[in-house]
Each structure stands twice: as structure tokens, then as C-alpha cells.
């Protein structure tokens, strides 16, 4: 599984209906599970982003479909970062020669 960090902001619509967000989060978790992935962590954050999710998915296409599906709801906008675990980071750096 590949790890992704998703930076999330509510849209105006999403913020207006903030009381529904726990239910929407449950739905997003189920959607990603149905796609073969999972949430490994979720945080409400202060600062530039409203929420941060750490997710795993089988590949980039699955994560892209998930992010697009979230965007289609009109409640959030996302930025998704592919994350390399420490072992992969060390391997990449050591391969630089």
C-alpha cells in the first residue's frame, strides 16, 4: 500500500454544514475502504488547512478517484501528497551515488 497525506479545506458549503462533518468523515472512510484503501490517521487542524488525513491506497489511481469523489460533493477541496516512508527515503537518497 502507498501512503498519502491529504490536506483538506472546507468549502463555504462544507463549513456552513460543519455539524454534519463527522457523518461525512464516516462516509469518506467507507468510500476509501470500498476502493481498497484506508485512513490511518485523521486530524482537525488549525492554520492553513482545516483537516489532515493520512491514508493508504493500492495505487495513485485509487487515491485520485477518492480525491475527485470528495471534491464532487462540494464540501471540501483537497491537496494530496504521496508520502514515502523512512526506509524508502533512505533507499532513494542512498541511490543518488
Amino acid at each position: 500500500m502507498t501512503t498519502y497525506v491529504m490536506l483538506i479545506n472546507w468549502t463555504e458549503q462544507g463549513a456552513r454544514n460543519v455539524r454534519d462533518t463527522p457523518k461525512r468523515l464516516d462516509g469518506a472512510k467507507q468510500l476509501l475502504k470500498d476502493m481498497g484503501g484506508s485512513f490511518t490517521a485523521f486530524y482537525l487542524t488549525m492554520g492553513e488547512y482545516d483537516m489532515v488525513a493520512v491514508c493508504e491506497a493500492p495505487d495513485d489511481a485509487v487515491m485520485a478517484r477518492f480525491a475527485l469523489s470528495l471534491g464532487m460533493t462540494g464540501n471540501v477541496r483537497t491537496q494530496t501528497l504521496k508520502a514515502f516512508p523512512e526506509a524508502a527515503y533512505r533507499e532513494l537518497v542512498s541511490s543518488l551515488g
Side-chain angles (χ1 to χ4, degrees):
M1 287 282 207
T2 303
T3 301
Y4 301 87
V5 176
M6 184 173 271
L7 308 172
I8 309 163
N9 278 316
W10 284 307
T11 61
E12 188 175 324
Q13 171 184 304
R16 192 172 38 249
N17 298 306
V18 73
R19 287 182 182 88
D20 297 336
T21 58
K23 196 180 314 177
R24 293 196 309 250
L25 174 58
D26 292 341
K29 287 181 173 183
Q30 185 62 52
L31 175 62
L32 185 54
K33 183 178 178 182
D34 293 346
M35 294 178 167
S38 65
F39 277 65
T40 59
F42 177 84
Y43 303 95
L44 176 68
T45 56
M46 297 175 7
E48 188 174 345
Y49 298 97
D50 297 316
M51 298 157 283
V52 174
V54 180
C55 303
E56 291 185 337
D59 56 42
D60 292 347
V62 168
M63 198 62 191
R65 278 197 314 275
F66 176 66
L68 290 168
S69 295
L70 291 182
M72 288 171 51
T73 69
N75 293 309
V76 294
R77 294 288 175 255
T78 63
Q79 290 184 10
T80 304
L81 310 170
K82 186 172 185 172
F84 294 84
E86 183 178 348
Y89 150 76
R90 290 181 181 278
E91 185 179 319
L92 286 166
V93 171
S94 69
S95 73
L96 295 174

